[in-house]
Structure formats: structure tokens, C-alpha cells
Amino acid sequence: MSGRGTGPQELPPIGLGLWKIDRDRAADVVFEAIRVGYRHVDSACDYGNEVEVGQGIRRAIAAGHCGRDQLWVTSKLWNTYHEPSRVRAACERSLADLGLDHLDLYLVHFPIALEFVPFEERYPPGWVRDPGASPPRMHPIPVPLADTWGAMERLVEAGLVRRVGLSNCPVALIREIAARARIQPAVLQVEMHPFLAQAKLLRFCRESGIAVTAYSPFGAGSYVPLGMATAEDSVLGHPVIREIAVAIGRTPAQVVLRWGIQRGPAVIPKTVRSERLVENLAAVDFALDDPQMRAITALDRHRRFNDAGAFCEGAFGTFFPIFD
Ligand code: NAD
């Protein structure tokens, strides 16, 4: 993977996920993460905490824990800014909030284009056009992803972002974008964990020179509180994971993250707890053997927790499948 200028040339294998980190803790969590060794943070307009994430980054740099050029910062274009004329302002807003002059990676968050919501009306705008409507609904608009991609490419040319990439896209859509692209997608970010191993998608990306970031690397963990998964869906509680963890003296979380990075992708676990920041980062420090890797991969049950085709209807009154 190549990038312009200075900065990390490779996606650091373990990053900090920033979804659902409250604004009042985000600066401290990011500062602590960088202090203990994280060099990759996964931000997004939609997470609503980019101002505080930026404060944490700047505090850590000021304290000498890392230089800007050692830190990989990802952010994401939200669904309401897919019209090509909106893309640059959306990116500049994330940069201003983060207090940075460039991003290492800017992703199209979802292949879903929604009607524009002005910054001054609501930021981040979320999924529904009018939260006060009865019922609130998404307002999809017909913007080809290739047009959005053209505007993403112009961000690279303008020096605002080092690389551009896609998220939540299946192979056919990536092929479509790649076929027309002047600047190829550098990274694909998708849900990936032992219950959704995505072997073919991973192979396609490897053979196409696209790096992969695995989101929700623990599987159900972040979806149980949202009512989108149950305790039975737990990857960390699965007997195979627990047995391997006991056998090698590691925690289930470390085993799952290690499996994740040993297959090639980066992982971006989210936590606000200092001891878990350290625990999760230590997944780089050991290896699983081939039988252990195969046993974990065999847990695949094609279980997708973050499925727009399921959650959009319940949460936002709009049927909107993207993977089916
Ligand atoms: P995750 O898989 O990181 O799981 C988070 C849950 O695991 C939390 O409940 C946390 O308390 C728990 N946890 C963390 N460390 C642990 C440990 N050591 N032991 C036990 N439990 C532990 O879930 P996620 O937040 O959904 O995904 C990670 C990141 O991926 C997000 O924060 C976000 O940055 C990104 N993401 C991107 C998209 C996208 O559409 N591109 C979607 C979802 C998530």
C-alpha cells in the first residue's frame, strides 16, 4: 500500500475503535491509548466524538508519546454527504474537528446515499432525515457510488487525505469502483470475526492489493446492548476460544484479535478501559499455531451483526438491504 508524503506506510495491525465512546471520555481514552502504544485510531463523523478524539491526539503528541507522522488516523464520509459537491466539506469538517491537516485514510462509511443535512441543522446528522417526523425515516437519494468515489479521489489530489477506501462493500461493488478508479481503494473496512470469517472477501482483497480492516472484531459484544445480538452469540464465550485461551495462557479477547491479525487484516477493538487497551494491544506479541487458527476459522457461521438490511427497518423505519 502506498501513500503520499510522510506517515505510516502500512496500516498498524491494531487500532482503537471509537464508535460509542462517549464525548466526555473520548479525549482521555485516546490519550491513554496512544500513551500505551496505539498508533492507529478509527474515527468517523457519525461517532459524534471527533472534537474530543482530536483533543486526545493533540495532548498525546504534545506530551511526546508519538509524532503525528507515526499515527494512522482514519475517518469516514457519512451517508448524507455522498453527492460529489458535499464530499470535500464533509472531509474538511472532520479534519477541523480532529484538529488535523490530513487523514491517513478516508473511507466511504456505507454504500448508502442519503439526503443532505446541513451542518448547522444537525451534526452528525445520523440516519433519519427528520428525527421529529412521525415516523422518522431515512431519505435515500440516487447517487452512484462511482461519483462519490471521484470526489474522494480529489481529496487525495488536494492533499487532505493520504488514501481513500471503502467500508461495508461486497466484492461486486468494489470491482465496479476499482474498474473506473484513477486512485484505487487502499483499504476495505468490514465486519469480520470468527462467526463471520469472510474468507472469499479476504482472499479477493489480498489478490487485489487492498488492505482489510476488521471491524467489530469481537463479534456480538457491541451489538448486545443495542438489541441486535444475544448472549448466545458471544464469540468471546465460545468454548473453542476459551479452551485455546486457557491452553496458551492468553485471554479470549487476545485469542480472537490474534486470529484476526494473523489472517492479514488490521483489527480495531473498542474499549474505554485502560487495562483492556493494554490487553488488546498485546495480541501482536504472540502467535497461534495452524491447528488453533483452523479451529477458530471453523467457527464461521456467516453471522453478520451490523446488517443495514436488518437494523435500518427496525431503527429508522426504512427497509434498506445492502449485502443481500
Ligand atoms: P468490538 O468488537 O470492538 O467490541 C467492543 C466490545 O467489546 C465492547 O463492549 C467492549 O467493552 C468489549 N471489549 C473490549 N475489549 C475487551 C476485552 N479485552 N475483553 C472483553 N471485552 C472487551 O466492537 P465495535 O465497537 O463494534 O467495533 C470496533 C470498531 O470498529 C468501532 O469502535 C468502530 O471504530 C469500528 N466500526 C466500524 C463500522 C463501519 O461501518 N465501518 C461498524 C462498526 C464498528
Side-chain angles (χ1 to χ4, degrees):
M1 193 195 326
S2 64
R4 287 160 36 133
T6 58
Q9 292 301 304
E10 297 291 332
L11 189 56
I14 301 199
L16 175 65
L18 296 164
W19 181 36
K20 293 193 266 140
I21 297 190
D22 293 340
R23 294 176 61 185
D24 57 359
R25 331 178 64 162
D28 288 343
V29 173
V30 168
F31 175 86
E32 180 64 5
I34 295 171
R35 191 186 72 78
V36 301
Y38 283 74
R39 294 295 177 265
H40 172 185
V41 293
D42 186 73
S43 184
C45 151
D46 187 52
Y47 303 161
N49 54 14
E50 291 202 304
V51 169
E52 293 75 16
V53 167
Q55 289 166 354
I57 291 172
R58 288 198 303 283
R59 264 174 46 205
I61 290 173
H65 295 310
C66 81
R68 172 66 187 94
D69 62 350
Q70 297 169 301
L71 185 65
W72 179 294
V73 181
T74 297
S75 186
K76 311 186 189 86
L77 178 80
W78 186 240
N79 304 343
T80 50
Y81 310 125
H82 275 222
E83 291 161 280
S85 63
R86 311 285 185 199
V87 169
R88 182 163 177 149
C91 180
E92 287 175 336
R93 173 67 191 255
S94 279
L95 284 170
D97 283 357
L98 289 163
L100 300 176
D101 65 6
H102 73 274
L103 296 168
D104 298 274
L105 174 65
Y106 199 46
L107 300 171
V108 180
H109 203 148
F110 284 92
I112 297 175
L114 299 177
E115 195 176 300
F116 176 65
V117 178
F119 293 157
E120 54 279 14
E121 184 177 328
R122 199 166 65 249
Y123 191 89
W127 292 81
V128 299
R129 178 63 187 87
D130 176 6
S134 174
R137 294 180 61 84
M138 291 161 54
H139 284 202
I141 54 171
V143 180
L145 187 58
D147 291 358
T148 306
W149 190 257
M152 296 286 283
E153 293 173 322
R154 290 193 283 281
L155 300 177
V156 178
E157 288 157 354
L160 272 61
V161 309
R162 299 277 190 253
R163 307 166 189 80
V164 282
L166 297 166
S167 182
N168 296 299
C169 287
V171 167
L173 201 46
I174 302 167
R175 285 192 204 282
E176 277 293 304
I177 294 301
R180 285 267 187 93
R182 288 182 294 112
I183 300 175
Q184 292 293 316
V187 175
L188 174 70
Q189 183 175 126
V190 288
E191 179 179 340
M192 192 178 281
H193 44 73
F195 289 175
L196 185 68
Q198 309 236 48
K200 284 183 275 190
L201 182 59
L202 196 53
R203 178 176 168 190
F204 165 79
C205 287
R206 191 181 306 122
E207 293 179 359
S208 309
I210 300 172
V212 174
T213 303
Y215 79 66
S216 302
F218 296 135
S222 76
Y223 299 97
V224 174
L226 299 175
M228 293 158 69
T230 66
E232 286 85 74
D233 292 315
S234 171
V235 174
L236 296 182
H238 194 282
V240 167
I241 302 293
R242 300 195 86 87
E243 279 161 26
I244 293 172
V246 169
I248 63 173
R250 293 283 173 170
T251 67
Q254 289 172 329
V255 169
V256 167
L257 296 178
R258 180 68 216 178
W259 171 84
I261 59 177
Q262 203 164 310
R263 302 169 82 218
V267 294
I268 44 173
K270 171 255 178 180
T271 183
V272 295
R273 288 164 53 169
S274 299
E275 72 279 9
R276 284 182 170 175
L277 286 172
V278 173
E279 176 187 342
N280 294 345
L281 194 58
V284 297
D285 294 340
F286 68 102
L288 296 167
D289 64 22
D290 288 345
Q292 290 163 342
M293 288 296 290
R294 279 199 297 276
I296 298 172
T297 304
L299 299 178
D300 190 14
R301 47 176 86 158
H302 309 286
R303 177 70 167 95
R304 190 186 298 281
F305 297 105
N306 195 319
D307 183 346
F311 72 75
C312 286
E313 188 156 33
F316 313 123
T318 310
F319 178 53
F320 211 91
I322 57 173
F323 295 110
D324 304 81

